[in-house]
Amino acid sequence: MSRTLLLTLRYDGSRYHGWQVQQNAVTVQEVFQNALGDLLGTRPDLKACSRTDTGVHADMFCISFETDSRIPCGQFPQALNMRLPRDIAVYGCREVEEGFHARYHCLGKRYVYQILNTKQRNPFYEGRALHYRYPLDEKMLHQAAQQYVGQHNFSGFCSYKSTVEDTVRTVSHCSVERKGDLVTFSVQADGFLYNMVRIMVGTLLRIAQGKFRPDCIPVILEKGDRALAGPTAPAEGLYLSRVLYAFDPLEEQRVTNNFKERE
């Protein structure tokens, strides 16, 4: 009897050409499928919550699939991690209802973009944060970022390569915060367009540079012209931070772990 599992993992995307399998390029999906196939003896059809581009990271990435395997959920992460490279790790597994789809049942996502705001680069952030050596006023940028909140047509913040027709998205949260030298842009929405977050960041950086007015974002949203927005920020600072469902994908694991601790 088959069951549907939802796996939660994180990965450093620095050496991968995104999530989705590509010809002549190493991707996270390819490496993950190989590990899963080695564990199960078969290669199930994976339903991923999203697609990440080359160099983009994920602190929470969800995958659903059907399997006849009876491996307990509590043992799945360790069994897979023994077969995965050190830059990919599974940290959650739970059984979900038949027909569950990691992408189509997703209610929203949260992304963060990290900027290392120092004059000199830091090798420990290489490939994991954008190094920006000029001063950033995070309070001013936080105020400007609030203009993204709400339901808008984000066609002006979408890559020219995108073929998506419905470009209306609802942003429920947006913030810019500083912790020491690290400035973090965080945004949560019911969905995102191709390169949307990176263009939002690029626009904020243009505001920081004084090249765009702090109140320019509503005009770009209204006009829907990609040429009016800022450049697409590099992929290295972007992380898929949270995938939102009607339930917490990790709740069952936490309950199990707490029960084992009490025993």
Side-chain angles (χ1 to χ4, degrees):
M1 182 176 179
S2 68
R3 56 184 178 147
T4 304
L5 298 183
L6 179 66
L7 296 183
T8 308
L9 58 147
R10 52 171 58 100
Y11 55 82
D12 179 339
S14 299
R15 72 184 186 98
Y16 299 103
H17 287 256
W19 161 258
Q20 192 171 20
V21 170
Q22 300 180 31
Q23 291 185 345
N24 303 317
V26 179
T27 67
V28 179
Q29 182 180 1
E30 176 188 354
V31 174
F32 185 83
Q33 280 182 328
N34 290 340
L36 187 61
D38 182 62
L39 174 64
L40 302 179
T42 184
R43 295 168 69 90
D45 182 24
L46 301 182
K47 307 295 194 302
C49 65
S50 182
R51 299 177 183 178
T52 55
D53 294 334
T54 299
V56 175
H57 317 290
D59 191 40
M60 181 179 187
F61 193 91
C62 294
I63 302 165
S64 59
F65 61 94
E66 292 185 6
T67 179
D68 293 328
S69 170
R70 307 318 299 170
I71 299 175
C73 282
Q75 297 178 15
F76 235 100
Q78 181 62 21
L80 273 172
N81 289 339
M82 292 174 62
R83 294 166 169 82
L84 288 167
R86 295 183 66 84
D87 51 8
I88 305 175
V90 179
Y91 64 99
C93 174
R94 66 174 290 166
E95 191 166 341
V96 291
E97 63 183 14
E98 182 181 359
F100 182 88
H101 194 296
R103 178 183 175 189
Y104 297 136
H105 284 84
C106 173
L107 301 178
K109 301 183 184 75
R110 182 186 305 158
Y111 281 89
V112 300
Y113 193 96
Q114 295 193 152
I115 302 173
L116 181 65
N117 191 210
T118 59
K119 288 187 177 181
Q120 305 301 331
R121 61 183 179 85
N122 184 331
F124 292 105
Y125 284 97
E126 190 68 28
R128 296 180 178 88
L130 171 66
H131 177 220
Y132 190 83
R133 63 188 304 270
Y134 304 102
L136 286 176
D137 182 345
E138 68 278 3
K139 294 181 180 179
M140 183 270 287
L141 293 179
H142 175 77
Q143 289 297 101
Q146 301 317 300
Q147 298 169 104
Y148 289 129
V149 177
Q151 186 180 78
H152 306 289
N153 185 337
F154 280 91
S155 56
F157 292 87
C158 180
S159 170
Y160 288 119
K161 298 179 182 179
S162 175
T163 58
V164 175
E165 294 183 2
D166 181 8
T167 54
V168 175
R169 298 292 185 272
T170 301
V171 172
S172 56
H173 166 83
C174 220
S175 67
V176 179
E177 299 177 331
R178 176 186 291 274
K179 291 184 179 180
D181 293 328
L182 200 63
V183 176
T184 301
F185 170 72
S186 176
V187 57
Q188 182 170 307
D190 58 357
F192 291 88
L193 303 172
Y194 184 39
N195 285 346
M196 177 174 158
V197 179
R198 291 165 61 188
I199 297 171
M200 294 168 83
V201 172
T203 302
L204 289 176
L205 290 177
R206 281 289 188 264
I207 293 174
Q209 296 159 2
K211 296 180 179 180
F212 285 4
R213 291 171 52 92
D215 59 356
C216 69
I217 291 173
V219 175
I220 302 172
L221 290 169
E222 181 181 356
K223 298 290 186 182
D225 186 351
R226 172 67 186 92
L228 297 178
T232 304
E236 62 204 49
L238 184 60
Y239 296 74
L240 176 56
S241 173
R242 186 74 177 169
V243 185
L244 306 174
Y245 296 104
F247 57 89
D248 182 348
L250 301 176
E251 181 180 1
E252 184 174 296
Q253 180 179 325
R254 292 193 189 101
V255 171
T256 302
N257 289 342
N258 290 338
F259 180 74
K260 289 181 178 179
E261 289 173 3
R262 290 196 298 271
E263 287 184 329

